Amino acid sequence: MIRSVTAILIKDFVSELRGKEMLLSMLVFSLMVAVIFNFSFPPGSEFIQEAAPGIIWMTFIFAGLLGMNRSFVYEVDKGCLQGIMLAPIDRAVIYISKLIVNFVFILLVELIALPLFVVFFKLDILGSPGYLLLVVLVSTLGFAVIGTLFSAIAVNTRTREVMLPILHFPVAIPIIICAVQATAAVFQGQEWAVVWGWTKIIVAFDVILFIVAFLTFEYVIEE
Amino acid sequence: MEQICKQPTVAEPASGVVQAEPDSVIQVSGLTKAFGHHHALRQISFEVRRGEFLTIFGPNGAGKTTLIRILSTMTPPSGGDVSIDGFSLADDANKIRNRLGVIAHQTYLYETLTAAENLRFYGRLYDLPDLNNRIEKLLAEVGLRARQNDLVRTFSRGMQQRLSIARALLHDPSLLLLDEPYTGLDQHASEMLSGWLARLRDNARTILMVTHDLERGLDLADRVAILVKGKIVFSKASSDIDKSKFQKTYYEFVEQNTRHT
Amino acid sequence: MISYTEKESNRTLIVLSAVVLIAVLVDLFLIFQFAPEERSMGHVQRIFYFHVPSAWISFLAFFVVFVNSGLYLWKRDRKYDLLASTSAEIGVIFATLVLITGPIWGRPVWNTWWEWSPRLTLFLVLWFIYIAYLMLRSFVDEEEKAARFSAVFGIVGFVDVPIVYLSIRLWRDIHPSPVIAGGQNSGLHPDMKIAFFFSLFTFTVLFFLMLLHRLRVERTAIAVRELKRQMAY
C-alpha cells in the first residue's frame, strides 16, 4: 500500500513540478484576489483588518477548488485513472494519494500567499503564528478531504468546473465558519482556548468526513 | 523480441479452487449488467481457452465496452459468474489484475511524463522486480528506446499506442483484453498493431478483442462472436467462416437481433 | 406481474389520498378555528403549524435520501436510487417552505425578514446541499453514474448536517440573536399541542402520498425512455 501511494505521489509531483499548472494557477489567483480585495475598501480603512480572515479563506477555497479540479481532469484525460485501476492496488490507495497531493499543493500555495496577505492587509500574527499554522493545516485538510472525493465526481459531469464548487461549498460550511472565526481570533490576539473552540470542530469534520469519503470513493471511480 | 516472444509465465492454478476446465482462461456464465430495466449485458456465457484469440464484434451500444470493463475488474457485474485463470472476479480481483493487460483506444499514458517515467510509474503499481531492465527491454522492442526520455506529449498517435502496448505488457500478463485498439490509428500504425497482436497470439497469450472493425478483427481471430444488444448471438471458429461473406452474415445477425426485442 | 403491482399501488394511492384529503381539512379546522390565538404574536403565530411540520418533513425526507443512498450502493438496486432521488425533491420543496414561512413569521415577530438564527441558517445550508444533489443528478449523462454519484453525495451531505449545525450554533453565540418572545415549545397551550401534532401527522401522510405519486411518475418516465431506447436502433 505504501509503495503504491509513493508511486502515485512521485508521479504527481514530477509531473506538477514540470508543468506547474496547478501550483502556478492557484498562486497567481490568490495573489490577484489579495490585490483586488484591497480596492474594494476605501483607502486607509480599518475595516479591511476585520474582513481579512474571511477574504483569506474565501481566496484559499477558490484557489483550492481550481487546483483540485485540475488534479482529476489530468487523471481522466487519457484514461489514466483506468490504467491505475487495472493495477493490483486497493481503491483506497488512489484516494489517499490524491488526497495527499491536493493537500500538499494547496498548503504550499497558502504558505506562500499568507505572508503576502499579512503584509498587504497590515495584519498582526506575530503573537501566535503557531496557532495560525494549525488552523491552516486542519482546514486545508478538510477542504482536500471532500474536494478529492467531489472532484472525482465533478470530472464526470457535463459542467466540470462549475460542479465542484456547487458540491463543495455547502458541505464545507463548517470549515468556512470555523476557519474564519479561528483566524480572526488569532489576529485579535485571543488565547488558545478560543482558537481551539473553533479548531476542534474542524478536526471533527476532518475525521468524520475522511471516513465517509474513504469508504465511498471506490463507488465514485468505478467505471 | 525477447520479452514479448517468450512464453508468458503460466499462472499456477489457484489453490482450493476447482477448475471446471483447466484449459480455459476466461469463464463467463450468466453474466448480466443491468441498471433497472436497462440491460447492458443479458445472461452472457462464453469461454476463452488458453492461447486462444477471440474477437467479439458488435455495433455501438451492444455492450462491448461494458464487457471489457467487467472482465478487467473495473466495474462489478449485476449477476452471473466470471472467473479468470480460476480466480473469481468477486473475491480475487487483485490476483486477476496481476494476470491481465488491457490495450484500449485510450492510451492510459500521462502526457506530462516521459515514456520511461510512464512505464516506471505503472511498474511500481505492479510492484515489479528488476523494473529498469524490463522497461529498457520493452522500450527497445516497441522501438521507442531512443525517445525514452521524451515527453509522451511529443509522440505521434502511433508511437503513443506502441508505448501503450509496452505498458500493457509490462507485468507480462497471460491474458490481454483489447478494446477497440484500432480507433484513431492511421493505416501504417494499424498494420503495425496487427503485426504485434499476431506475434502476441503466436506466443501463447490469450487474447480477447472487442471491435467493430470486421476486417482486422477477423484476420487475427481463432474464434469470433457477435454481440448485439447485450447478447451473444453468433459464435464460430474463424476457420469455419467464409471471410468474403462474413460482412453480410454480420449485418444479418445485427439486423435480426435489433428488430425483435 | 406488472399489472398486479400497478393495481396494488393504485389501491394504496386511493386510500392514502382519501386519508390526506380528510387530514388536511381537519388540520385546517384545527389550525384556524380550534387552536387559540397566541397572546403576544397574534394570528401570525398560526404559521407555526405549517413551519415546524415542514421542517420535520424535510428532515425526514433527507433521512430517507441518506438511508436509500446507502442501500443503493450496497444492493445496486435501482429502486433505492428512485426512492432517494424522489425523496430529495420533496425534501427540497418542504425546505423551501421552511425558508418562506420563516421570514413571513419573522417579519412581524422579530421585525426583520431574515434572521441568521441557527435553525433558519441550517435550513438554508440544507437547501443548498440538496439543490446541489439534484443538480448533480441532472448534470451526469449516464443514469447509472448519476445514481452512484448522487448516492455518495446523499451520504456525505447528510453526515455533514450535525457538524454544520454545531458550527452555526457556535457562530451565533458570538453574534447574539434578538430575544424571541416565548420559545416555540415552552408552555404550549394544550389545544395548540393538539393542532400541532395533528399538523405533524397530516404533513407526514402528505409526504408519503407525494412520494408515491412521484415514484409512479418517475417509473413511467423510465419505462418510456427504455422503450424509446429499444426503438432507436
Side-chain angles (χ1 to χ4, degrees):
Chain A
M1 162 137 183
I2 290 171
R3 200 191 310 264
S4 335
V5 171
T6 339
I8 299 179
L9 292 186
I10 293 174
K11 181 261 300 176
D12 276 357
F13 288 137
V14 166
S15 163
E16 178 60 30
L17 290 181
R18 194 165 284 153
K20 300 184 194 65
E21 285 180 32
M22 205 175 145
L23 282 173
L24 268 183
S25 48
M26 284 198 285
L27 192 62
V28 172
F29 176 85
S30 306
L31 297 183
M32 281 179 177
V33 172
V35 172
I36 286 170
F37 260 113
N38 253 310
F39 299 143
S40 60
F41 297 99
S45 162
E46 292 282 302
F47 186 64
I48 197 162
Q49 267 101 340
E50 272 181 56
I55 295 173
I56 291 175
W57 281 108
M58 286 322 290
T59 311
F60 288 167
I61 293 187
F62 275 110
L65 291 178
L66 215 62
M68 287 192 282
N69 232 333
R70 270 287 334 141
S71 106
F72 252 97
V73 168
Y74 136 94
E75 288 295 348
V76 296
D77 242 6
K78 299 287 163 193
C80 295
L81 186 58
Q82 293 180 34
I84 297 178
M85 286 169 68
L86 286 172
I89 56 170
D90 288 329
R91 279 20 184 170
V93 164
I94 306 174
Y95 176 71
I96 300 276
S97 328
K98 292 313 275 187
L99 171 62
I100 296 176
V101 170
N102 286 335
F103 174 68
V104 169
F105 284 161
I106 300 173
L107 194 67
L108 215 59
V109 170
E110 289 172 340
L111 293 183
I112 300 173
L114 205 53
L116 290 163
F117 273 101
V118 170
V119 173
F120 282 172
F121 294 170
K122 304 185 181 65
L123 302 167
D124 179 22
I125 55 157
L126 292 179
S128 40
Y131 295 175
L132 188 60
L133 192 67
L134 180 79
V135 174
V136 170
L137 277 175
V138 291
S139 311
T140 309
L141 183 62
F143 286 144
V145 160
I146 53 172
T148 306
L149 179 72
F150 292 163
S151 57
I153 292 179
V155 82
N156 282 293
T157 61
R158 258 177 285 135
T159 48
R160 284 181 176 178
E161 289 75 19
V162 190
M163 206 62 231
L164 182 57
I166 287 177
L167 296 177
H168 197 284
F169 277 131
V171 177
I173 278 177
I175 319 184
I176 299 174
I177 293 177
C178 297
V180 171
Q181 297 301 335
T183 309
V186 173
F187 289 161
Q188 289 158 10
Q190 304 235 34
E191 61 206 78
W192 167 241
V194 180
V195 180
W196 175 245
W198 296 105
T199 314
K200 68 183 180 201
I201 297 183
I202 310 178
V203 173
F205 179 98
D206 290 0
V207 172
I208 295 169
L209 273 293
F210 172 77
I211 294 169
V212 179
F214 183 85
L215 293 176
T216 51
F217 186 73
E218 66 172 296
Y219 299 107
V220 170
I221 56 168
E222 123 196 344
E223 272 299 315
Chain B
M1 293 298 113
E2 212 180 318
Q3 184 87 14
I4 286 176
C5 288
K6 87 168 193 243
Q7 299 271 330
T9 30
V10 173
E12 72 281 8
S15 53
V17 179
V18 185
Q19 283 172 296
E21 199 184 338
D23 225 27
S24 70
V25 175
I26 304 180
Q27 264 189 306
V28 173
S29 66
L31 174 62
T32 299
K33 179 73 181 178
F35 180 65
H37 295 291
H38 178 65
H39 285 72
L41 295 175
R42 307 160 192 260
Q43 296 279 334
I44 285 189
S45 301
F46 65 90
E47 274 182 40
V48 184
R49 286 190 301 278
R50 195 169 300 287
E52 192 179 29
F53 192 129
L54 169 69
T55 302
I56 298 181
F57 296 108
N60 289 334
K64 292 177 305 216
T65 299
T66 307
L67 179 62
I68 292 287
R69 279 180 184 163
I70 290 174
L71 292 180
S72 60
T73 74
M74 285 205 252
T75 194
S78 309
D81 288 315
V82 176
S83 74
I84 290 174
D85 255 352
F87 292 109
S88 132
L89 197 63
D91 308 328
D92 284 314
N94 276 345
K95 285 185 181 142
I96 291 175
R97 287 173 191 147
N98 264 321
R99 286 166 167 77
L100 68 90
V102 175
I103 302 171
H105 51 276
Q106 282 186 307
T107 57
Y108 303 167
L109 298 171
Y110 292 93
E111 296 200 316
T112 48
L113 297 181
T114 66
E117 282 167 350
N118 264 294
L119 295 187
R120 200 167 303 129
F121 166 60
Y122 282 111
R124 282 187 184 132
L125 290 186
Y126 286 90
D127 201 5
L128 299 175
D130 200 17
L131 189 56
N132 286 337
N133 270 333
R134 230 176 235 265
I135 291 173
E136 275 202 12
K137 265 186 210 158
L138 269 170
L139 281 173
E141 282 169 38
V142 295
L144 289 171
R145 193 158 181 196
R147 303 283 310 263
Q148 62 171 319
N149 291 322
D150 289 351
L151 294 186
V152 169
R153 190 192 287 151
T154 65
F155 285 13
S156 70
R157 181 76 180 83
M159 285 162 74
Q160 292 196 10
Q161 188 64 300
R162 261 144 64 200
L163 186 58
S164 166
I165 295 173
R167 175 195 53 73
L169 296 177
L170 196 59
H171 56 292
D172 199 17
S174 51
L175 168 66
L176 280 174
L177 302 175
L178 313 177
D179 183 7
E180 302 280 8
Y182 290 99
T183 309
L185 294 186
D186 61 26
Q187 189 68 23
H188 175 67
S190 298
E191 268 159 32
M192 279 193 69
L193 179 60
S194 290
W196 283 103
L197 295 179
R199 265 202 302 271
L200 289 167
R201 175 196 56 189
D202 295 343
N203 288 291
R205 277 177 220 266
T206 312
I207 302 181
L208 170 69
M209 173 157 82
V210 301
T211 182
H212 53 243
D213 188 330
L214 294 184
E215 200 185 321
R216 297 195 187 281
L218 197 55
D219 266 355
L220 295 159
D222 300 317
R223 198 151 56 87
V224 298
I226 299 177
L227 185 70
V228 183
K229 287 203 150 187
K231 269 188 211 153
I232 291 187
V233 294
F234 175 94
S235 171
K236 221 175 198 180
S238 64
S239 51
D240 298 340
I241 292 173
D242 183 348
K243 296 198 177 176
S244 55
K245 285 184 187 150
F246 184 67
Q247 189 162 1
K248 200 167 157 266
T249 320
Y250 172 74
Y251 285 123
E252 274 170 16
F253 270 93
V254 171
E255 190 80 346
Q256 265 175 31
N257 289 285
T258 43
R259 274 205 193 133
H260 316 290
T261 38
Chain C
M1 191 190 128
I2 290 169
S3 59
Y4 170 74
T5 49
E6 280 289 295
K7 234 182 235 167
E8 274 294 278
S9 80
N10 271 342
R11 199 174 306 147
T12 325
L13 261 182
I14 291 168
V15 172
L16 201 59
S17 302
V19 171
V20 169
L21 184 69
I22 296 165
V24 166
L25 291 175
V26 173
D27 196 30
L28 286 175
F29 169 77
L30 287 178
I31 292 170
F32 289 106
Q33 293 296 319
F34 179 74
E37 189 184 337
E38 214 267 353
R39 217 172 299 138
S40 59
M41 287 187 263
H43 283 304
V44 74
Q45 181 268 342
R46 293 184 199 274
I47 208 165
F48 157 76
Y49 303 109
F50 298 93
H51 181 75
V52 178
S54 297
W56 147 250
I57 293 305
S58 36
F59 266 130
L60 175 69
F62 297 146
F63 181 68
V64 172
V65 176
F66 170 68
V67 171
N68 283 288
S69 296
L71 284 172
Y72 175 73
L73 291 183
W74 183 27
K75 303 274 190 193
R76 298 302 173 99
D77 188 332
R78 192 173 191 177
K79 75 176 179 217
Y80 299 118
D81 174 57
L82 279 179
L83 267 167
S85 59
T86 49
S87 186
E89 286 176 12
I90 300 171
V92 166
I93 293 174
F94 281 95
T96 312
L97 279 179
V98 173
L99 293 176
I100 294 173
T101 51
I104 294 177
W105 190 9
R107 176 68 191 153
V109 177
W110 299 338
N111 207 22
T112 167
W113 286 112
W114 184 260
E115 182 52 46
W116 291 97
S117 81
R119 283 178 211 184
L120 218 50
T121 313
L122 177 70
F123 266 89
L124 193 59
V125 177
L126 269 180
W127 191 80
F128 277 123
I129 290 180
Y130 289 92
I131 286 288
Y133 173 97
L134 294 177
M135 280 177 82
L136 173 62
R137 290 186 68 86
S138 61
F139 285 165
V140 181
D141 291 327
E142 283 173 64
E143 288 169 340
E144 189 268 340
K145 270 190 181 174
R148 250 190 299 129
F149 293 163
S150 60
V152 169
F153 193 71
I155 293 171
V156 173
F158 193 79
V159 168
D160 194 39
V161 171
I163 315 175
V164 172
Y165 189 64
L166 211 66
S167 58
I168 295 174
R169 236 187 38 199
L170 192 60
W171 170 68
R172 279 308 303 182
D173 278 349
I174 58 165
H175 302 268
S177 53
V179 181
I180 301 159
Q184 284 163 4
N185 295 317
S186 61
L188 217 53
H189 187 280
D191 286 352
M192 286 181 170
K193 270 189 189 156
I194 291 173
F196 171 69
F197 283 112
F198 193 80
S199 206
L200 214 55
F201 164 77
T202 308
F203 272 73
T204 310
V205 282
L206 178 65
F207 166 74
F208 284 109
L209 181 68
M210 288 171 80
L211 194 64
L212 273 182
H213 268 297
R214 190 67 191 82
L215 274 176
R216 264 165 59 106
V217 171
E218 198 54 39
R219 286 215 180 95
T220 314
I222 288 169
V224 170
R225 274 206 296 277
E226 193 50 40
L227 280 173
K228 278 185 181 166
R229 190 146 41 192
Q230 283 174 15
M231 286 162 66
Y233 283 96

